């Protein structure tokens, strides 16, 4: 059953089509005397009627094979065209009395070829419209499936990150307890409890504003700074005014975890973790740095040794979310290991 909106659109389309043909017939007639309006409107009204019947007849076969659709459309167009012409010829002869010839049986199909041709053209237009709409629908469904697959992959990667962060913090608490620093361990657990209360939900969002992502990172660094006490400092070069951009949830945490693990935790002296943001006309650049005393340590990070998900996971998430519009570059510069993430604004 057609919706009222679709029925109205079809009715208006029929009215415009056959009305336009009526005007063309009246004002482009090649003979000296054009046909009367009653003749034109009778002919066009029957054309609209039989084309509407074709529209109804085509509905049950919309999902059939294309060859069957074309064969049935051809046959029905021929039948409908002949019926249209026969009805009009009978009307013209018996009611309008404008025909001069005495109609025999086959005479009722006089000029049937033109009516069949017109309905064949109408049917071509209908099926072209149908195939275009079907292609658009399939394209939208394909995009929806691709989006669902992408969302599922992002969620899978995200669910890998949250437990990893939790395990790192618990390992820090365990280290503090081994050092018998119960006060610091208690404070760290309080911070962790507060952090989890504000960030973890039953259905974590796939994306979140940059401000919330940075707040998440700051919480993590504060917790780790408690672990390393005076041997770790944070260089936080983040402007107060942030661009209105969203990031995949937790995209920065693995990078900071690597910075702490391969930077601060690997150093015997004081170390510093850096976080800096730079906004360009069409992109946002996020840089993170940590001490890297030797080239072998940098190679371990590049090879993803000991990081679990680390850089590889982050690269996968960026590729899944942004395609080729985002990049992740990293390498050693002097005694620092620098990771640079570029995402579109």
């Amino acid at each position: 059953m057609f919706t009222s909106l679709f029925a109205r659109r079809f009715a208006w389309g029929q009215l415009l089509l056959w009305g336009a043909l009526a005007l063309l017939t009246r004002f482009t007639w090649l003979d000296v005397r054009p046909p009367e309006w009653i003749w034109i409107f009778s002919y066009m009204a029957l054309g609209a009627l039989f084309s509407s019947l074709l529209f109804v007849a085509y509905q049950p076969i919309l999902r059939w094979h294309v060859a069957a659709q074309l064969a049935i459309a051809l046959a029905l167009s021929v039948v409908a065209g002949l019926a249209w012409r026969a009805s009009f010829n009978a009307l013209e002869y018996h009611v309008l009395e404008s025909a001069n010839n005495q109609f025999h049986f086959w005479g009722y199909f006089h000029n049937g070829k033109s009516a069949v041709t017109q309905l064949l053209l109408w049917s071509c237009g209908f099926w072209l419209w149908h195939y275009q709409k079907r292609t658009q629908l399939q394209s939208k469904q394909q995009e929806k499936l691709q989006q669902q697959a992408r969302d599922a992959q992002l969620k899978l990667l995200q669910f890998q990150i949250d437990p990893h962060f939790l395990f790192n913090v618990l390992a820090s608490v365990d280290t503090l307890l081994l050092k018998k620093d119960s006060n610091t361990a208690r404070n760290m657990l309080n911070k962790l409890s507060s952090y989890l209360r504000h960030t973890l939900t039953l259905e974590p969002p796939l994306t979140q504003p940059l401000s919330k992502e940075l707040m998440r990172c700051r919480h993590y660094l504060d917790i780790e700074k408690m672990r390393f006490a005076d041997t770790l400092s944070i260089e936080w070069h983040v402007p107060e005014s942030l661009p209105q951009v969203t990031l995949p949830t937790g995209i920065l945490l693995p990078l900071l975890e690597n910075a702490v693990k391969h930077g601060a935790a690997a150093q015997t002296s004081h170390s510093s973790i850096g976080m800096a943001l730079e906004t360009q006309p069409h992109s946002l650049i996020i840089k993170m740095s940590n001490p890297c005393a030797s080239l072998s340590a940098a190679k371990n990070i590049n090879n993803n040794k000991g990081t679990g998900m680390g850089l590889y996971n982050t690269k996968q998430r960026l590729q899944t979310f942004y395609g080729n519009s985002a990049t992740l570059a990293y390498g050693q510069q002097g005694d620092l290991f620098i990771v640079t993430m570029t995402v579109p604004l």
Side-chain angles (χ1 to χ4, degrees):
M1 181 178 294
F2 311 125
T3 63
S4 58
L5 177 62
F6 185 80
R8 286 198 300 271
R9 288 181 177 178
F10 176 75
W12 277 108
Q14 285 285 83
L15 180 63
L16 292 175
L17 172 64
W18 293 103
L21 286 177
L23 294 176
L24 286 173
T25 302
R26 174 69 181 185
F27 296 109
T28 61
W29 194 260
L30 298 180
D31 291 347
V32 177
R33 182 182 178 185
E36 299 293 332
W37 281 112
I38 184 65
W39 186 96
I40 295 176
F41 283 128
S42 298
Y43 184 79
M44 298 304 169
L46 287 171
L49 172 63
F50 281 98
S51 61
S52 298
L53 293 176
L54 282 180
F55 177 83
V56 175
Y58 290 157
Q59 298 307 308
I61 65 172
L62 292 179
R63 298 183 179 276
W64 290 17
H65 191 273
V66 175
Q69 290 174 341
L70 295 180
I72 294 176
L74 176 62
L76 290 179
S77 296
V78 172
V79 172
L82 294 177
W84 172 20
R85 193 68 209 195
S87 300
F88 177 75
N89 285 338
L91 177 67
E92 183 183 30
Y93 179 68
H94 295 292
V95 179
L96 302 178
E97 298 181 350
S98 59
N100 296 323
N101 56 315
Q102 294 292 329
F103 277 80
H104 300 292
F105 174 78
W106 292 111
Y108 285 100
F109 300 100
H110 179 64
N111 286 334
K113 184 185 297 185
S114 63
V116 169
T117 301
Q118 288 172 315
L119 285 188
L120 281 174
L121 291 175
W122 185 94
S123 295
C124 287
F126 168 83
W127 287 106
L128 287 175
W129 170 82
H130 166 68
Y131 292 138
Q132 180 188 14
K133 289 295 182 182
R134 188 173 69 175
T135 301
Q136 290 178 349
L137 180 61
Q138 290 174 344
S139 178
K140 289 181 179 179
Q141 290 175 339
Q142 184 68 21
E143 290 177 1
K144 185 177 180 180
L145 290 174
Q146 290 176 351
Q147 180 66 34
Q148 290 174 345
R150 189 180 73 170
D151 290 349
Q153 183 178 357
L154 285 171
K155 284 187 177 182
L156 177 61
L157 293 170
Q158 179 179 325
F159 289 152
Q160 291 175 346
I161 288 174
D162 288 334
H164 189 71
F165 166 69
L166 178 61
F167 296 154
N168 273 0
V169 176
L170 292 178
S172 299
V173 173
D174 182 62
T175 301
L176 290 171
L177 292 176
L178 289 175
K179 294 180 178 179
K180 297 183 179 181
D181 190 353
S182 58
N183 289 332
T184 306
R186 187 181 300 110
N187 290 334
M188 185 178 290
L189 287 174
N190 289 335
K191 282 185 172 289
L192 175 62
S193 176
S194 176
Y195 169 77
L196 295 178
R197 190 182 305 114
H198 289 89
T199 58
L200 295 185
T201 61
L202 292 177
E203 185 67 21
L206 289 174
T207 62
Q208 66 179 2
L210 174 63
S211 59
K212 289 188 176 181
E213 184 67 17
L214 291 175
M215 181 179 65
R216 183 187 184 113
C217 294
R218 189 70 198 193
H219 279 308
Y220 169 75
L221 291 174
D222 287 343
I223 292 173
E224 290 291 41
K225 194 173 186 306
M226 293 181 64
R227 174 187 172 189
F228 292 100
D230 297 331
T231 62
L232 174 64
S233 61
I234 309 298
E235 295 181 4
W236 191 260
H237 302 292
V238 176
E240 293 184 1
S241 178
L242 297 173
Q244 298 298 318
V245 63
T246 58
L247 297 175
T249 301
I251 192 72
L252 301 179
L253 271 182
L255 305 179
L256 287 177
E257 290 172 348
N258 275 350
V260 172
K261 184 172 184 178
H262 295 280
Q267 302 299 311
T268 57
S269 59
H270 184 275
S271 59
S272 177
I273 303 297
M275 166 75 79
L277 262 67
E278 179 185 347
T279 303
Q280 294 187 350
H282 303 290
S283 60
L284 173 68
I285 300 176
I286 305 172
K287 290 186 178 181
M288 281 162 275
S289 62
N290 62 269
C292 190
S294 64
L295 185 61
S296 60
K299 289 182 177 179
N300 285 339
I301 298 176
N302 278 295
N303 294 331
N304 201 33
K305 293 180 180 179
T307 62
M309 56 213 68
L311 296 171
Y312 176 79
N313 188 301
T314 304
K315 270 190 166 183
Q316 289 293 103
R317 296 189 74 196
L318 287 175
Q319 177 67 32
T320 303
F321 192 81
Y322 295 104
N324 295 325
S325 300
T327 60
L328 184 69
Y330 46 85
Q332 189 176 17
Q333 296 182 16
D335 58 351
L336 292 179
F337 188 84
I338 299 178
V339 178
T340 303
M341 179 189 298
T342 304
V343 297
L345 287 177

